[in-house]
Amino acid sequence: MQTHEIARRWNAFFEKNDHSVVPSASLVSPDPSLLFTVAGMVPFIPYFLGQQTPPYIRAVSVQKCIRTADIEEVGRTARHGTFFQMAGNFSFGDYFKEGAITMAWELLTTPQEDGGYGLDPERLWATVYTEDEEAYSIWRDVVKLPEDRIQRIGKEDNYWHTGQPGPGGPCSEIFYDRGPAYGNAGGPAADDTRYLEIWNLVFMQYQLADVRSQADFDVAGELANKNIDTGLGLERLAMILQGVENMYETDQVRPVLDRAAELAGVTYTSTEDAEDPNFANDMRLRYIADHIRSALMLISDGVVPGNEAGGYVLRRLIRRAVRAMRLMGVTNAVLPELLPISRDAMRGTYPQVAEDFERISRIAYAEERAFLRTIAAGTTRLESSVAQARAAGTQLSGNAAFELHDTFGFPIDLTLEMAEEAGVSVDQSKFTDLMQEQRERARKDAKAKKTGHADTSLYYQAHAGQDTVFTGYTEHTTESQIRSLLVNGEEAGFAEQGQQVEVVLDASPFYAEAGGQAADTGLITGDGFVIEIQDVQSPINGLSVHQGTIREGEAPAGAQAVGAIDLRRRLDAQKAHSATHIIHAALHQILGKDAVQAGSFNKEGYLRFDFRWQDAMSDAARQEVEELANIAIRDNFFVNTIETSLKDAQAMGAKSLFGEKYGDRVRVVEIDGPWSRELCGGTHVTNTAEIGTLALLNEQSVGSGIRRVEALVGLDAFDHFAAERTLVNQLSTMLKAPTADIPGRVEQTLHKLRQLEKELAELRAQQMLAQAGQLVDKAETVGQVTLLTHNLGDISSADDLRSTVLDLRDRLTKAGNQNIVVGMVGTSNNRPLVVISVNEGAQALGLKAGNLVKAASQMLGGGGGGKPDLAQGGGQDVTKLDEALASIRQEVETA
């Protein structure tokens, strides 16, 4: 049974049993304490914690998940993977233990021809929490599972909680006996390799307090509403139903593994024995297959490679896969071969990966190309470091290896491999220490930034099930009441003058930063107090938190207050926000519908808009976008807003931000009907003419496959155009030319300058060649070699140095010398350079230009290389030029 069919049957079975089918949430978790969705229950956490009211009492889902905490272990065993799918069924105060257990048993054991999975009931085992007599009785008396296949397990494995005070309860797990070939008899308690866990049923029935560890906590009492949270590993069930050994051999993973093995010319043997000679390649093939699938799914959910958060994880996954192929001898691009195979394997469950593959592949392939360039650049740096280590007779330092990894993105595996080929060892201990220090810094930074459920508990208390009423669409001033005050992260009864404070109002005209629009600023005033508001955020859905400073008096919680926004700032921000929609529509018209939004930010007078596109826009395309945007502004299009259902908005063709989570009711902003139609909760102008004008400032890359345009609007755009006009007038005066003639006059001036530079360079070259005739007489005999070295002082470029060296070598050859080495140094732009030439005779004596340059460059604090007959290098220390020349002589003397 194919994996997509397993998922279909799961949803169909529970839908038949009155569950609402909930589509998989994005891999990018809405929970601020999580980078990714790591479990099937994550989208339902607010319901289980009582923070939100669920819109259904029964739900079922097949959730995409990513876990990367143990990424280094992926492939070492067949158990570890990053991407997986968790099938779950959930009850919120409805059915409890008996319903969960009996439905699980029915779905697993119902014959396949009747819509079930058709597992042999004789091979199923169950575990229950030691003290859970109710679950034990249901398995024994209702399901009729023999008691010798029901095992009691302690809190460490069969009790669930969040690790904090809150809901918790016992678990019951279902295991499948894979048979004697996989291990010892005796059930899950005896062997968890033979007995494979496939389904975990969590019974949330208690309120826990003072949670000290997984097994040490206090039970405060029973929950008023008992919940069910279950999770079945889709890949594990696929292993059983497809009769394969592990997840890597299932239908959604194995095709990529096989193609990778074919490209590398190796055979996959499925070994997990580290002593087996095939282990290294088998491990690489496993994590290649895993990482390719994970990358496909992450990009599908809107993640792009980057240096932070999810983008960094995606980049790491892609680069690990490419690196693994390289370590097996495949040095060309591999994603164009592997990614389409993963797409075809996953499209049955997730059709969007096929529908959006042009964008997905464009991003992935660009990242691979960038990494291959990184490897090329890192190789040059590594060769220099290895040469220095060899010259000093030491190993490659851990600092050098870490710099290659951290600065150049050069994998340590490749560093070890290439250093070994050059006969140099690496200080791996120091490298490991530096990596650990970096991880500790990252962990502390993440902890400092993390906002989990415990951190937001005060906001949930302030929310108390009542959203802040946003009046800002129609009002700029609103009378309200201070519902809550927070000072230094704690609830306070009042706040005094000078204190920083967070204010929650019942109703507010202040727009909380969202959808790319900056937050409003302004004042909250009341009887005897003034609060200046600098920012407004929404830390939990539906709650606006006003951050500011008490400027006058003392503000008490519960006081009546008036919120008034900075109206001028809001009106200018609205212009920028509406202009952002216009820019989006213009890009669609000029570049095509693939130019979709990847992010935005707008504030008074300014906007930036990020969109998915691989190549830089031409000047003509930029001009067209700016012109089209200003035409839309000039034509005074009506800006209309509609509140409707998400389904109806999508039917209208309203654009949405990819990966964004929307509720059932949404707000649609239309500009002249079909000209632009987007889902948006921000504030906007009434007519586009209010924007005034738009000046497109620039267009640039801000990441792999992501471009950014920036623009000014309104008076800021006018000021920009005025500044440009002033600059043009100044140029006109300086060049004594009319405005229309400035480009031609500037080009004439630049042409003359280039001619003068060319003539100057030719004059310098002639002077150096003339000097070369005198230098020939300074050649000396060192052993069997005619050696000529000299410091030429200031030079225009390395080209001049190279020309002089080659000219001197030719002169010495014509003079009848047989074994010639010419080495010259000089300084260009305060940077030392060295060029060395060695003729065939001297090469026969063992002298190579590349080796001589590396030795000389080391003296200069740099590196270099080249061919045996001609090589070039340099460094940073201009005071060491004589030492560099001396190193050339020393190498010749010892040849």
Coordinates of all heavy atoms in Angstrom, one line a residue, residues 236-277:
R236 N 6.3 4.6 9.5 CA 6.4 3.3 10.2 C 5.4 2.3 9.7 O 5.6 1.2 9.5 CB 6.4 3.5 11.7 CG 7.6 4.2 12.3 CD 7.6 4.1 13.8 NE 8.9 4.6 14.3 CZ 9.3 4.5 15.6 NH1 8.5 3.8 16.4 NH2 10.4 5.0 16.0
L237 N 4.1 2.8 9.6 CA 3.1 2.0 9.1 C 3.4 1.6 7.6 O 3.1 0.4 7.2 CB 1.7 2.7 9.2 CG 0.5 1.8 8.8 CD1 0.5 0.5 9.6 CD2 -0.8 2.6 9.0
A238 N 3.9 2.5 6.8 CA 4.3 2.2 5.4 C 5.3 1.1 5.4 O 5.3 0.2 4.5 CB 4.8 3.5 4.8
M239 N 6.3 1.1 6.3 CA 7.3 0.0 6.4 C 6.6 -1.3 6.5 O 6.9 -2.3 5.7 CB 8.2 0.2 7.6 CG 9.2 1.3 7.5 SD 9.9 1.7 9.1 CE 10.3 0.1 9.7
I240 N 5.6 -1.4 7.3 CA 4.9 -2.7 7.6 C 4.1 -3.1 6.4 O 4.2 -4.2 5.9 CB 4.0 -2.6 8.8 CG1 4.9 -2.4 10.1 CG2 3.2 -3.8 9.0 CD1 4.1 -2.0 11.3
L241 N 3.3 -2.1 5.9 CA 2.4 -2.5 4.8 C 3.1 -2.7 3.4 O 2.6 -3.3 2.5 CB 1.4 -1.4 4.6 CG 0.4 -1.2 5.8 CD1 -0.6 0.0 5.6 CD2 -0.4 -2.5 6.1
Q242 N 4.3 -2.2 3.3 CA 5.1 -2.3 2.1 C 6.1 -3.5 2.2 O 6.8 -3.8 1.3 CB 5.8 -1.0 1.7 CG 4.8 0.1 1.3 CD 5.4 1.4 1.1 OE1 6.6 1.6 0.9 NE2 4.6 2.5 1.1
G243 N 6.2 -4.0 3.4 CA 7.1 -5.1 3.7 C 8.6 -4.8 3.5 O 9.4 -5.6 2.9
V244 N 9.0 -3.6 3.9 CA 10.4 -3.2 3.8 C 11.0 -3.0 5.2 O 10.3 -3.0 6.2 CB 10.5 -1.9 3.0 CG1 10.0 -2.0 1.6 CG2 9.8 -0.7 3.7
E245 N 12.3 -2.9 5.2 CA 13.1 -2.9 6.5 C 13.0 -1.6 7.3 O 13.0 -1.7 8.5 CB 14.6 -3.3 6.2 CG 14.8 -4.6 5.6 CD 14.4 -5.7 6.5 OE1 14.7 -5.6 7.7 OE2 13.7 -6.7 6.1
N246 N 13.0 -0.5 6.6 CA 13.0 0.8 7.3 C 12.4 1.9 6.5 O 12.0 1.6 5.3 CB 14.5 1.1 7.7 CG 15.4 1.1 6.5 OD1 15.2 1.8 5.6 ND2 16.4 0.2 6.6
M247 N 12.3 3.1 7.1 CA 11.7 4.2 6.4 C 12.4 4.6 5.1 O 11.7 5.1 4.2 CB 11.6 5.4 7.3 CG 12.9 5.9 7.7 SD 12.8 7.6 8.5 CE 12.6 8.6 7.1
Y248 N 13.7 4.3 5.0 CA 14.4 4.7 3.8 C 14.1 3.8 2.6 O 14.4 4.2 1.5 CB 15.9 4.6 4.1 CG 16.4 5.7 5.0 CD1 16.6 5.4 6.4 CD2 16.6 7.0 4.6 CE1 17.0 6.4 7.3 CE2 17.0 8.0 5.5 CZ 17.2 7.7 6.8 OH 17.6 8.7 7.7
E249 N 13.4 2.7 2.9 CA 13.1 1.8 1.8 C 11.6 1.9 1.4 O 11.1 1.2 0.6 CB 13.4 0.4 2.2 CG 14.9 0.2 2.4 CD 15.3 -1.2 2.8 OE1 14.4 -2.1 2.7 OE2 16.4 -1.4 3.3
T250 N 10.9 2.9 2.0 CA 9.5 3.1 1.6 C 9.4 3.9 0.3 O 10.3 4.4 -0.2 CB 8.7 3.9 2.7 OG1 9.4 5.1 2.9 CG2 8.7 3.1 4.0
D251 N 8.1 3.9 -0.2 CA 7.9 4.4 -1.6 C 8.2 5.9 -1.8 O 8.5 6.3 -2.9 CB 6.5 4.1 -2.0 CG 5.5 4.8 -1.2 OD1 5.5 4.6 0.1 OD2 4.7 5.6 -1.7
Q252 N 8.2 6.7 -0.7 CA 8.4 8.1 -0.8 C 9.9 8.5 -0.6 O 10.2 9.6 -0.8 CB 7.6 8.9 0.2 CG 6.1 8.8 -0.1 CD 5.3 9.7 0.8 OE1 5.7 10.1 1.9 NE2 4.1 10.1 0.3
V253 N 10.7 7.5 -0.2 CA 12.1 7.8 0.0 C 13.1 7.0 -0.9 O 14.1 7.6 -1.4 CB 12.5 7.6 1.5 CG1 13.9 8.0 1.8 CG2 11.5 8.3 2.4
R254 N 12.8 5.7 -1.0 CA 13.7 4.9 -1.7 C 14.1 5.3 -3.2 O 15.2 5.2 -3.6 CB 13.2 3.4 -1.8 CG 14.1 2.4 -2.4 CD 15.4 2.2 -1.6 NE 16.4 1.4 -2.3 CZ 16.7 0.2 -1.9 NH1 16.1 -0.3 -0.8 NH2 17.6 -0.5 -2.5
P255 N 13.2 5.9 -4.0 CA 13.5 6.2 -5.3 C 14.7 7.2 -5.4 O 15.5 7.1 -6.3 CB 12.2 6.9 -5.9 CG 11.1 6.2 -5.1 CD 11.7 6.0 -3.7
V256 N 14.7 8.2 -4.5 CA 15.8 9.2 -4.4 C 17.1 8.5 -4.1 O 18.2 8.7 -4.6 CB 15.5 10.3 -3.5 CG1 16.7 11.3 -3.4 CG2 14.3 11.1 -3.9
L257 N 17.1 7.6 -3.1 CA 18.2 6.8 -2.6 C 18.8 6.0 -3.8 O 20.0 6.0 -4.0 CB 17.9 5.9 -1.5 CG 19.0 5.2 -0.7 CD1 18.6 4.9 0.7 CD2 19.3 3.9 -1.4
D258 N 18.0 5.3 -4.6 CA 18.4 4.5 -5.7 C 19.1 5.4 -6.8 O 20.1 5.0 -7.3 CB 17.3 3.7 -6.3 CG 16.8 2.6 -5.4 OD1 17.6 2.2 -4.5 OD2 15.7 2.1 -5.5
R259 N 18.5 6.5 -7.1 CA 19.1 7.4 -8.1 C 20.4 7.9 -7.6 O 21.4 8.1 -8.4 CB 18.1 8.5 -8.5 CG 18.6 9.4 -9.6 CD 18.9 8.7 -10.8 NE 19.4 9.6 -11.9 CZ 20.3 9.2 -12.8 NH1 20.8 8.0 -12.8 NH2 20.7 10.1 -13.7
A260 N 20.5 8.3 -6.4 CA 21.8 8.8 -5.9 C 22.9 7.8 -5.9 O 24.0 8.1 -6.3 CB 21.6 9.3 -4.4
A261 N 22.5 6.5 -5.6 CA 23.5 5.4 -5.7 C 23.9 5.2 -7.2 O 25.1 5.0 -7.4 CB 22.9 4.1 -5.2
E262 N 23.0 5.3 -8.1 CA 23.3 5.2 -9.5 C 24.2 6.2 -10.0 O 25.2 6.0 -10.7 CB 22.0 5.2 -10.3 CG 22.2 5.0 -11.8 CD 20.9 5.0 -12.6 OE1 19.8 5.1 -11.9 OE2 20.9 5.0 -13.8
L263 N 24.0 7.5 -9.6 CA 24.8 8.6 -10.0 C 26.2 8.4 -9.4 O 27.2 8.8 -10.1 CB 24.3 9.9 -9.5 CG 23.0 10.4 -10.2 CD1 22.4 11.6 -9.4 CD2 23.2 10.8 -11.6
A264 N 26.4 7.9 -8.2 CA 27.7 7.7 -7.6 C 28.4 6.5 -8.0 O 29.5 6.3 -7.7 CB 27.5 7.8 -6.1
G265 N 27.6 5.6 -8.7 CA 28.2 4.3 -9.1 C 28.5 3.4 -7.9 O 29.5 2.6 -7.9
V266 N 27.6 3.4 -6.9 CA 27.8 2.6 -5.7 C 26.5 1.7 -5.5 O 25.5 2.0 -6.1 CB 28.1 3.4 -4.4 CG1 29.4 4.2 -4.6 CG2 26.9 4.3 -4.1
T267 N 26.6 0.7 -4.7 CA 25.5 -0.2 -4.4 C 25.1 0.0 -3.0 O 25.9 0.0 -2.1 CB 25.9 -1.6 -4.7 OG1 26.3 -1.8 -6.0 CG2 24.7 -2.5 -4.4
Y268 N 23.8 0.2 -2.8 CA 23.2 0.4 -1.4 C 23.0 -1.0 -0.8 O 22.3 -1.9 -1.4 CB 21.9 1.1 -1.5 CG 21.3 1.3 -0.1 CD1 21.9 2.1 0.9 CD2 20.1 0.7 0.2 CE1 21.4 2.3 2.1 CE2 19.5 0.9 1.5 CZ 20.1 1.7 2.4 OH 19.6 1.8 3.7
T269 N 23.6 -1.2 0.4 CA 23.5 -2.6 1.0 C 22.7 -2.6 2.3 O 22.5 -3.6 2.9 CB 24.9 -3.1 1.3 OG1 25.5 -2.2 2.4 CG2 25.8 -3.1 0.1
S270 N 22.2 -1.4 2.7 CA 21.3 -1.3 3.8 C 22.0 -1.6 5.2 O 21.3 -1.9 6.1 CB 20.1 -2.2 3.7 OG 19.0 -1.8 4.6
T271 N 23.3 -1.5 5.2 CA 24.0 -1.8 6.5 C 23.9 -0.7 7.5 O 23.9 0.5 7.1 CB 25.5 -2.2 6.2 OG1 26.1 -2.6 7.5 CG2 26.2 -1.0 5.7
E272 N 23.9 -1.0 8.7 CA 24.0 0.0 9.8 C 25.2 -0.3 10.7 O 25.3 0.2 11.8 CB 22.7 0.0 10.7 CG 21.4 0.4 9.9 CD 20.2 0.4 10.7 OE1 20.2 0.9 11.9 OE2 19.1 -0.1 10.2
D273 N 26.0 -1.2 10.3 CA 27.2 -1.6 11.0 C 28.4 -0.7 10.6 O 28.8 -0.7 9.5 CB 27.5 -3.1 10.6 CG 28.8 -3.6 11.4 OD1 29.3 -2.8 12.2 OD2 29.2 -4.7 11.1
A274 N 28.8 0.1 11.6 CA 29.9 1.1 11.3 C 31.2 0.4 10.9 O 32.1 1.0 10.3 CB 30.1 1.9 12.5
E275 N 31.4 -0.9 11.2 CA 32.6 -1.6 10.8 C 32.5 -2.1 9.3 O 33.5 -2.5 8.8 CB 32.8 -2.8 11.7 CG 33.0 -2.4 13.2 CD 34.1 -1.4 13.4 OE1 35.2 -1.6 12.8 OE2 34.0 -0.4 14.2
D276 N 31.3 -2.2 8.8 CA 31.1 -2.7 7.4 C 31.7 -1.7 6.4 O 31.5 -0.5 6.5 CB 29.6 -2.8 7.1 CG 29.4 -3.6 5.8 OD1 29.9 -3.2 4.8 OD2 28.6 -4.5 5.9
P277 N 32.5 -2.1 5.5 CA 33.1 -1.2 4.5 C 32.1 -0.4 3.7 O 32.5 0.6 3.1 CB 34.0 -2.1 3.6 CG 33.5 -3.5 3.8 CD 32.9 -3.5 5.2

